Structures are given as C-alpha cells and as structure tokens.
Amino acid sequence: MAEPKQERAARTRESILRAAAEVFDECGYSGASISKIMNRAGVTQGGMYFHFKSKKRLALAVMSSQQSFVDFPPEGGGLQRVIDLTFHLARELQTNPLVRASIRLAVEQGEFGVRDDTAYQEWVALVEAYLLKARQRGELLPEVDEHDFAVVLVSAFTGSQLFSSVSSARADLQSRIALLWRYLLPGLTSPQVMASLRVEPADRPLAA
C-alpha cells in the first residue's frame, strides 16, 4: 500500500531538516549551501523548496529545534536532575551533530540577519521548572531565585561550551561543567544537600 501523501511529506521535511543540521554543523551558515543540503537529504530542488523557501528559513528551523534534537533523561528529580541535564547536554554537544548545529546557528544568527533568544529562553524555562521542583524538595537555599539562577546557569553553560569548542573542540567540556558546578553549588544549596549530589557525568547515556 502506498504511503499516505501527508506522511511522506512529513518524512521528507524531517530528512531535509536533519540533513541541513548536519551541513550547518560541518560548514556553518556561510559555508552551507542549498545544493549541499539537497544532496545530503537526497531530495530534488522542488522537494526542497516545497518545505523550505530559503537557506535562512532552514537555519531558523534548525535553530528552533534545539530541544527536539535532545533525548531528555526521564528519571531523577530535583537538583540532581538539573546537574545531570548539563552533563547530558555536554555529551550531546560532543556526539550529536544536530544539537551542535542548532547551537552553532544560535551563535551565528547575526550572519543571517536574526537576533532571537527564544532557544535560550526555552532552556531557562526548563531549568527553572526543575528548580521549582527542587524547591519543593527543600533543596534550595531560601535566598535563591529560581528564574535568576536558571538565567545564570544557561549563560554559564553557553559560555563554557563556546570556550571549550575553541580550546579543545569540546573534548574537555565535561570537566568544564564539573568545574562550573563546583563554584555554583555553594550559592544554591546547603552543604548537606551538596554531599548527596553526583557532580560528574553519569556512567551511561541518560537518554531513554
């Protein structure tokens, strides 16, 4: 039986999006081309332009897909979940070209005439939600503001991964994240809670 037209179109769009992410990761926005993306996706020019009218629209679609490219850890709670998420994202940046591309484009967005912090705000909202659960568990110091700390963490993680990218192609990113938590945790939680936390990469991938 023939594949329904709508399902085929959705599958083609997903193939183009993933191919574009791979090319953007390898070449950056300026070095990527529609022809490279078409060849990687195995689609015709008509198929490409049916879904995406320009390279800029492709870049915007990849940039806005950051969280959809990540398999989030399903288990854990409270502060440990926040810590695990940062190490998981570090691993994704080391191994997942789709995540790398979306973050690279967020940094390079000035090249295609965009200034959009939506992706960063989405990470802030996610971290803040985890911190609110940590508050319910009594893990945060009274003076901590969940939203403010989420902004600080996302900003610090972003800077750490950029520094690591330049210094070591992100080979040392896990150790940089561990160092980050070494200095952030004392302002976030009590020594008793800190003693119960694992501030290192998990032994296995955290994806489901």
Side-chain angles (χ1 to χ4, degrees):
M1 186 172 65
E3 183 180 22
K5 184 176 181 180
Q6 188 174 9
E7 291 182 12
R8 185 169 63 252
R11 186 163 55 84
T12 299
R13 186 185 187 281
E14 181 66 17
S15 296
I16 294 171
L17 190 64
R18 289 184 172 272
E22 292 173 359
V23 174
F24 285 132
D25 174 48
E26 295 166 8
C27 306
Y29 182 80
S30 297
S33 68
I34 290 293
S35 60
K36 286 179 183 178
I37 295 168
M38 284 170 49
N39 291 336
R40 182 72 59 92
V43 299
T44 64
Q45 188 176 43
M48 170 68 73
Y49 286 107
F50 175 79
H51 292 283
F52 299 99
K53 304 300 183 187
S54 66
K55 185 172 77 168
K56 179 177 179 178
R57 290 192 180 185
L58 257 174
L60 290 170
V62 172
M63 190 173 73
S64 66
S65 299
Q66 281 189 20
Q67 293 197 13
S68 68
F69 289 150
V70 178
D71 292 320
F72 289 96
E75 70 278 353
L79 282 181
Q80 188 64 63
R81 185 173 180 84
V82 179
I83 294 167
D84 287 348
L85 176 63
T86 60
F87 283 111
H88 182 65
L89 288 175
R91 184 184 297 110
E92 288 285 283
L93 280 164
Q94 291 172 324
T95 62
N96 188 336
L98 306 181
V99 175
R100 284 199 302 269
S102 64
I103 290 178
R104 179 171 182 169
L105 288 171
V107 173
E108 295 180 353
Q109 59 182 284
E111 294 183 19
F112 46 101
V114 175
R115 189 173 68 180
D116 184 356
D117 69 347
T118 300
Y120 297 107
Q121 295 294 352
E122 288 175 347
W123 288 116
V124 168
L126 180 66
V127 171
E128 182 179 0
Y130 289 171
L131 289 171
L132 288 170
K133 292 181 180 178
R135 171 73 69 193
Q136 294 172 358
R137 294 160 61 114
E139 294 181 331
L140 302 185
L141 295 174
E143 63 270 23
V144 171
D145 181 280
E146 293 84 1
H147 177 77
D148 286 352
F149 185 83
V151 171
V152 168
L153 180 60
V154 171
S155 301
F157 183 93
T158 300
S160 294
Q161 71 87 13
L162 285 172
F163 195 172
S164 177
S165 177
V166 172
S167 296
S168 68
R170 298 194 179 93
D172 66 351
L173 183 53
Q174 301 279 355
S175 62
R176 288 178 183 270
I177 299 306
L179 184 64
L180 189 69
W181 282 114
R182 174 183 170 188
Y183 286 96
L184 288 180
L185 275 176
L188 183 65
T189 192
S190 68
Q192 292 77 19
V193 173
M194 284 178 57
S196 70
L197 298 173
R198 185 188 69 252
V199 188
E200 59 186 10
D203 293 334
R204 60 182 176 81
L206 293 168

